[in-house]
Amino acid sequence: MPGLGLDLPPVAAPAATPATGQAYRVLARKYRPQTFAELIGQDAMVQTLGNAIRRERLAHAFLMTGVRGVGKTSTARLIAKALNCIGPDGQGGPTIAPCGVCEPCVAIAEGRHIDIIEMDAASHTGIDDVREITEAVRYAAVSARYKMYIIDEAHMLSKQAWNGLLKTLEEPPPHVKFLFATTEVNKVPVTVLSRCQRFDLKRIPSELLASHFAEICVKESVVAEPDALAMIADAAEGSVRDGLSILDQAIAHADLGGHSDDTGSAAVRAEQVRGMLGLSDRGSMRRLFAHLIAGEADSVLADLDAQHGLGVDPVAVMRGLLAMVHAITLHKAAGRVRTVHGEEDRAALADWADKLGNASLHRLWQLLLKGHDEIESAPVPREACEMALLRALYASTLPDPGTLARRMAETQGSVVPPSAAAEPSRPQPEKAPQSEESPPPWDMAEYGEPSLPLRAQANPQPVRPVGEIRTIGDIVDLLDNAGRLLLAGQVRTDMRPVEIGEDRLTYQSATGRDDYVPLLREALADITGRRWQVERGGGDASPSLAELEKLAENALRDEILNHPLVVATQAAFPDAEIDWTAAETSPHEGDNLPTRSAKA
């Protein structure tokens, strides 16, 4: 370099950029819908707008809401086209199918129409920006049928801005239309929502997205495998724009990888998309899930190491397993299988749905879901993923609470208590063989513990003959055995029997609330198969069961207090108190004194 004493090589001039005629436009902009027919997945909204235009019942303000990339701003522009289209001959009116060739349609599509004002509320949030709108709406449109204001990200407007727009929004001039687009409709004031016609744009299903991407690949002369498009559609999460951006990246990735077919066009392959998105191979995920439910710890850790070596995020591994469990559960419950999965996936899901029980699937879902949350917050995600999978592996081999309860019941039934061992053996009645038409036993491991009526049906108690019902206790036992526990408790607490005969019960109410009596009549009729007469009556009534229990408890207390040992103890320790709630009542050896704990 002259004057500085530095001998540097000359800098080469930049190579000239070849003229291409037009800069490349990304797919998300190139394939933005230009007509309502190209707007996918929003048929209900299109039908509503079409009927409103044909019947000339147009609202003065529209609000489009939904997740990102489903077409909110595009819909606003399409509405502007539909209301301002004049047709190829210049004589047309508002239509749901704008021509796209007239001057208003072309100008709106290119974003240069003077009467279609687009405002980004994220950068124009104040009252001054809204004041410009309220002052400009007084003037008629220059060349269009309607002057339209498209306000994107409307939820970013300040409270003062919304308040300044309320009056104009409620009673705008007939030549003005407002179009709002937002992703967070909950932040829009209710006073604004009540002045707008609201359209909730739906997420696009993965199947429809994959079909849409396949059509775009044909237009772009790109060969794409169906599994690759299915992965892109799943990664888009219902957003067309996100999916087109991923597809654009996948096409560029395919070109760089050197994969192409005989025609020289780019080929988007599933392996490349999987590596680009950091996803796990479906086959590898199936193998990992198979080893997990088989309890093979070494194979699970080996598969996880292989996924880590391929650069798959541990969170993605856990999401893949969760998706696998979810798909199996849906297939088992309703036979639903997502069409974007391949034939191998469908066969594996059907096989696992037949082998795995509902309880096992739901328990595995909870374990994996907890592991997913732990991995996201763990300092070392890989180790957290290993621990979560091992926990799920070992927990899958443990019996569920229903099985444990059944085994405990069987164990208790097989153990002979010592008191019974000392007694002479008694002849046991022969167990009646199970009928071929009887229902199979309830599988608690599969379905959990049955409800009370089903337990009573599966393990029936001997029903007391109608002729042996002579006391109110017999009626309570009858209701208990039939699973009518709430009704039995009401009878125990309230009913003072006056007379009990065959299919007849006369009573007096202890609490004055006997609204349960109609239910008692129906229950007795269902259990005994005969109609019962239950009514209030006069005469001498016996105490209710609850009152009898209270009398027995008081008598027991008097017996304890009058026992010589208790009297002597209280005389020796005047400050001692008896705790009536802490201990069980059991005969004391030698003197038959009920055992109660005392506190000083």
Side-chain angles (χ1 to χ4, degrees):
M1 181 176 295
L4 294 180
L6 299 177
D7 189 10
L8 298 177
V11 179
T17 303
T20 58
Q22 186 178 3
Y24 174 71
R25 299 179 66 193
V26 296
L27 297 181
R29 294 186 58 192
K30 184 177 181 180
Y31 291 98
R32 183 187 292 269
Q34 300 299 320
T35 63
F36 282 104
E38 298 177 2
L39 188 65
I40 64 173
Q42 313 298 340
D43 298 337
M45 182 195 65
V46 174
Q47 181 179 357
T48 303
L49 287 174
N51 293 339
I53 292 174
R54 283 189 290 269
R55 297 169 185 173
E56 297 182 356
R57 302 178 62 90
L58 293 172
H60 60 272
F62 299 90
L63 186 141
M64 276 68 66
T65 180
V67 298
R68 67 192 185 279
V70 293
K72 298 182 294 296
T73 307
S74 298
T75 300
R77 294 174 181 173
L78 290 177
I79 294 176
K81 278 186 182 181
L83 299 186
N84 291 298
C85 179
I86 59 176
D89 56 356
Q91 302 299 321
T95 174
I96 193 62
C99 64
V101 297
C102 64
E103 177 57 26
C105 288
V106 174
I108 293 173
E110 296 177 356
R112 56 178 176 83
H113 200 291
I114 191 173
D115 293 320
I116 310 299
I117 300 98
E118 292 194 28
M119 187 183 83
D120 178 21
S123 56
H124 300 80
T125 62
I127 183 64
D128 293 335
D129 301 302
V130 171
R131 188 176 291 115
E132 295 180 4
I133 296 177
T134 57
E135 293 177 355
V137 295
R138 296 179 296 176
Y139 304 103
V142 177
S143 60
R145 187 178 293 112
Y146 294 101
K147 177 183 285 188
M148 310 190 74
Y149 291 90
I150 300 176
I151 302 179
D152 203 3
E153 302 299 334
H155 63 276
M156 301 293 289
L157 287 177
S158 64
K159 182 179 180 180
Q160 293 77 10
W162 280 121
N163 291 335
L165 190 61
L166 280 180
K167 188 61 177 178
T168 303
L169 186 61
E170 184 175 12
E171 298 178 358
H175 59 272
V176 174
K177 301 290 182 184
F178 288 95
L179 303 170
F180 300 100
T182 177
T183 56
E184 301 182 35
V185 69
N186 57 307
K187 294 185 179 180
V188 178
V190 179
T191 51
V192 175
L193 295 177
S194 63
R195 291 167 167 84
C196 299
Q197 191 172 97
R198 173 175 169 176
F199 293 104
D200 290 88
L201 277 68
K202 303 177 182 178
R203 288 180 182 267
I204 313 302
S206 298
E207 297 83 355
L208 186 57
L209 279 178
S211 175
H212 181 61
F213 296 158
E215 295 176 359
I216 292 178
C217 287
V218 172
K219 296 176 182 178
E220 292 290 317
S221 301
V222 173
V223 178
E225 295 180 353
D227 288 344
L229 297 179
M231 282 187 285
I232 294 174
D234 284 340
E237 298 181 349
S239 171
V240 181
R241 183 174 61 237
D242 288 6
L244 289 176
S245 299
I246 297 174
L247 179 60
D248 217 340
Q249 182 181 356
I251 294 174
H253 187 70
D255 290 338
L256 292 175
H259 295 279
S260 61
D261 58 4
D262 296 338
T263 62
S265 59
V268 178
R269 306 188 184 278
E271 293 81 2
Q272 292 177 325
V273 174
R274 186 178 299 112
M276 181 187 73
L277 297 177
L279 301 177
S280 178
D281 182 10
R282 299 291 302 180
S284 301
M285 191 57 60
R286 289 195 300 269
R287 289 191 297 270
L288 176 60
F289 184 78
H291 294 151
L292 180 65
I293 62 176
E296 301 172 356
D298 293 340
S299 300
V300 168
L301 294 178
D303 290 342
L304 194 59
D305 290 339
Q307 297 293 320
H308 182 75
L310 294 174
V312 180
D313 187 38
V315 176
V317 174
M318 196 61 65
R319 287 177 180 171
L321 291 174
L322 284 169
M324 190 77 68
V325 175
H326 177 259
I328 296 172
T329 307
L330 288 186
H331 189 280
K332 186 176 184 65
R336 294 177 53 187
V337 178
R338 299 179 63 183
T339 58
V340 295
H341 289 169
E343 292 297 332
E344 295 183 1
D345 267 352
R346 295 190 184 94
L349 293 179
D351 183 57
W352 283 325
D354 293 336
K355 294 180 179 178
L356 298 177
N358 290 315
S360 300
L361 288 172
H362 288 285
R363 184 166 64 251
L364 187 58
W365 170 267
Q366 294 295 333
L367 291 169
L368 294 177
L369 188 62
K370 180 175 178 58
H372 177 272
D373 296 339
E374 293 176 354
I375 294 171
E376 287 189 329
S377 60
V380 186
R382 179 186 178 184
E383 295 179 0
C385 184
E386 292 176 346
M387 295 300 294
L389 290 182
L390 290 176
R391 181 174 60 215
L393 182 145
Y394 290 118
S396 64
T397 61
L398 296 177
D400 60 278
T403 305
L404 286 177
R406 183 175 59 185
R407 292 181 181 177
M408 291 175 62
E410 293 174 354
T411 303
Q412 292 175 358
S414 61
V415 175
V416 180
S419 58
E423 297 180 357
S425 60
R426 299 177 181 178
Q428 300 293 332
E430 296 182 2
K431 185 177 181 181
Q434 185 176 0
S435 173
E436 296 181 357
E437 298 179 357
S438 60
W442 184 269
D443 189 358
M444 288 193 293
E446 179 72 16
Y447 304 105
E449 185 178 2
S451 59
L452 282 174
L454 188 53
R455 286 208 306 268
Q457 189 177 21
N459 302 303
Q461 300 291 334
V463 179
R464 188 186 302 270
V466 178
E468 297 182 8
I469 300 177
R470 289 291 179 262
T471 65
I472 196 67
D474 296 340
I475 295 178
V476 171
D477 292 340
L478 196 68
L479 296 173
D480 280 335
N481 293 334
R484 310 292 181 92
L485 303 183
L486 180 60
L487 193 57
Q490 292 173 322
V491 173
R492 180 191 301 274
T493 304
D494 176 75
M495 191 161 283
R496 295 172 176 171
V498 176
E499 182 184 1
I500 300 179
E502 185 175 355
D503 305 336
R504 185 179 73 258
L505 170 60
T506 306
Y507 71 96
Q508 292 180 5
S509 176
T511 62
R513 300 182 60 182
D514 55 354
D515 50 354
Y516 61 90
V517 172
L519 298 177
L520 178 60
R521 294 192 190 100
E522 295 180 3
L524 292 176
D526 292 341
I527 297 172
T528 62
R530 302 178 66 175
R531 185 176 180 180
W532 276 69
Q533 182 179 357
V534 182
E535 60 184 3
R536 276 196 183 193
D540 296 333
S542 301
S544 66
L545 291 181
E547 292 172 337
L548 290 175
E549 293 173 357
K550 186 65 175 178
L551 292 174
E553 183 180 352
N554 293 335
L556 178 61
R557 290 193 179 193
D558 293 340
E559 180 184 356
I560 294 174
L561 291 175
N562 295 325
H563 194 278
L565 182 58
V566 175
V567 173
T569 303
Q570 287 184 332
F573 303 97
D575 296 332
E577 297 179 359
I578 298 178
D579 186 358
W580 301 100
T581 61
E584 298 179 353
T585 302
S586 61
H588 191 276
E589 294 183 2
D591 56 3
N592 295 328
L593 175 65
T595 302
R596 293 281 182 172
S597 66
K599 62 181 181 180

